[in-house]
mmCIF file of all heavy atoms in Angstrom:
data_model
loop_
_atom_site.group_PDB
_atom_site.id
_atom_site.type_symbol
_atom_site.label_atom_id
_atom_site.label_comp_id
_atom_site.label_asym_id
_atom_site.label_seq_id
_atom_site.Cartn_x
_atom_site.Cartn_y
_atom_site.Cartn_z
ATOM 1 N N SER A 17 17.512 71.159 0.623
ATOM 2 C CA SER A 17 17.154 71.742 1.920
ATOM 3 C C SER A 17 17.774 70.992 3.075
ATOM 4 O O SER A 17 17.884 71.523 4.168
ATOM 5 C CB SER A 17 15.637 71.767 2.092
ATOM 6 O OG SER A 17 15.134 70.448 2.037
ATOM 7 N N GLY A 18 18.192 69.727 2.863
ATOM 8 C CA GLY A 18 18.773 68.964 3.957
ATOM 9 C C GLY A 18 17.768 68.743 5.047
ATOM 10 O O GLY A 18 16.695 68.228 4.825
ATOM 11 N N GLY A 19 18.107 69.140 6.282
ATOM 12 C CA GLY A 19 17.192 68.933 7.399
ATOM 13 C C GLY A 19 16.350 70.147 7.686
ATOM 14 O O GLY A 19 15.237 70.041 8.184
ATOM 15 N N GLY A 20 16.858 71.361 7.444
ATOM 16 C CA GLY A 20 16.113 72.555 7.812
ATOM 17 C C GLY A 20 15.147 72.977 6.750
ATOM 18 O O GLY A 20 15.410 72.897 5.556
ATOM 19 N N GLY A 21 14.011 73.478 7.175
ATOM 20 C CA GLY A 21 13.006 73.998 6.271
ATOM 21 C C GLY A 21 12.273 72.953 5.487
ATOM 22 O O GLY A 21 11.572 73.278 4.543
ATOM 23 N N THR A 63 12.376 62.144 5.627
ATOM 24 C CA THR A 63 13.388 63.188 5.678
ATOM 25 C C THR A 63 12.973 64.357 6.533
ATOM 26 O O THR A 63 13.726 65.296 6.702
ATOM 27 C CB THR A 63 13.684 63.675 4.253
ATOM 28 O OG1 THR A 63 12.480 64.125 3.658
ATOM 29 C CG2 THR A 63 14.271 62.545 3.410
ATOM 30 N N THR A 64 11.744 64.345 7.044
ATOM 31 C CA THR A 64 11.282 65.419 7.907
ATOM 32 C C THR A 64 11.751 65.142 9.321
ATOM 33 O O THR A 64 11.049 64.531 10.104
ATOM 34 C CB THR A 64 9.749 65.540 7.869
ATOM 35 O OG1 THR A 64 9.346 65.641 6.520
ATOM 36 C CG2 THR A 64 9.278 66.753 8.646
ATOM 37 N N THR A 65 12.947 65.542 9.617
ATOM 38 C CA THR A 65 13.551 65.292 10.913
ATOM 39 C C THR A 65 14.015 66.609 11.501
ATOM 40 O O THR A 65 13.821 67.693 10.924
ATOM 41 C CB THR A 65 14.740 64.343 10.770
ATOM 42 O OG1 THR A 65 15.676 64.909 9.854
ATOM 43 C CG2 THR A 65 14.296 62.990 10.240
ATOM 44 N N SER A 66 14.615 66.510 12.633
ATOM 45 C CA SER A 66 15.143 67.713 13.271
ATOM 46 C C SER A 66 16.310 68.261 12.464
ATOM 47 O O SER A 66 16.915 67.579 11.641
ATOM 48 C CB SER A 66 15.590 67.383 14.694
ATOM 49 O OG SER A 66 16.644 66.449 14.661
ATOM 50 N N THR A 67 16.679 69.522 12.743
ATOM 51 C CA THR A 67 17.743 70.175 11.983
ATOM 52 C C THR A 67 19.098 69.596 12.300
ATOM 53 O O THR A 67 20.032 69.743 11.517
ATOM 54 C CB THR A 67 17.747 71.667 12.314
ATOM 55 O OG1 THR A 67 17.906 71.814 13.741
ATOM 56 C CG2 THR A 67 16.451 72.308 11.882
ATOM 57 N N ASN A 68 19.220 68.907 13.436
ATOM 58 C CA ASN A 68 20.501 68.349 13.825
ATOM 59 C C ASN A 68 20.702 66.928 13.338
ATOM 60 O O ASN A 68 21.732 66.333 13.599
ATOM 61 C CB ASN A 68 20.644 68.370 15.352
ATOM 62 C CG ASN A 68 20.627 69.801 15.875
ATOM 63 O OD1 ASN A 68 21.114 70.716 15.206
ATOM 64 N ND2 ASN A 68 20.051 69.991 17.055
ATOM 65 N N GLU A 69 19.686 66.331 12.700
ATOM 66 C CA GLU A 69 19.774 64.934 12.288
ATOM 67 C C GLU A 69 19.426 64.821 10.822
ATOM 68 O O GLU A 69 18.418 65.347 10.378
ATOM 69 C CB GLU A 69 18.814 64.083 13.112
ATOM 70 C CG GLU A 69 18.877 62.613 12.746
ATOM 71 C CD GLU A 69 17.886 61.802 13.553
ATOM 72 O OE1 GLU A 69 17.199 62.400 14.388
ATOM 73 O OE2 GLU A 69 17.803 60.590 13.320
ATOM 74 N N LYS A 70 20.280 64.169 10.083
ATOM 75 C CA LYS A 70 20.043 63.964 8.662
ATOM 76 C C LYS A 70 19.999 62.485 8.369
ATOM 77 O O LYS A 70 20.799 61.723 8.894
ATOM 78 C CB LYS A 70 21.153 64.607 7.828
ATOM 79 C CG LYS A 70 21.171 66.129 7.913
ATOM 80 C CD LYS A 70 22.207 66.708 6.987
ATOM 81 C CE LYS A 70 22.225 68.227 7.032
ATOM 82 N NZ LYS A 70 23.239 68.805 6.112
ATOM 83 N N LYS A 71 19.050 62.106 7.527
ATOM 84 C CA LYS A 71 18.932 60.714 7.111
ATOM 85 C C LYS A 71 19.450 60.572 5.686
ATOM 86 O O LYS A 71 19.407 61.524 4.901
ATOM 87 C CB LYS A 71 17.481 60.243 7.182
ATOM 88 C CG LYS A 71 17.007 60.003 8.594
ATOM 89 C CD LYS A 71 15.712 59.258 8.593
ATOM 90 C CE LYS A 71 15.309 58.881 10.015
ATOM 91 N NZ LYS A 71 14.084 58.093 10.047
#
Side-chain angles (χ1 to χ4, degrees):
S17 60
T63 57
T64 307
T65 57
S66 63
T67 57
N68 297 326
E69 181 182 359
K70 293 185 179 180
K71 286 193 174 183

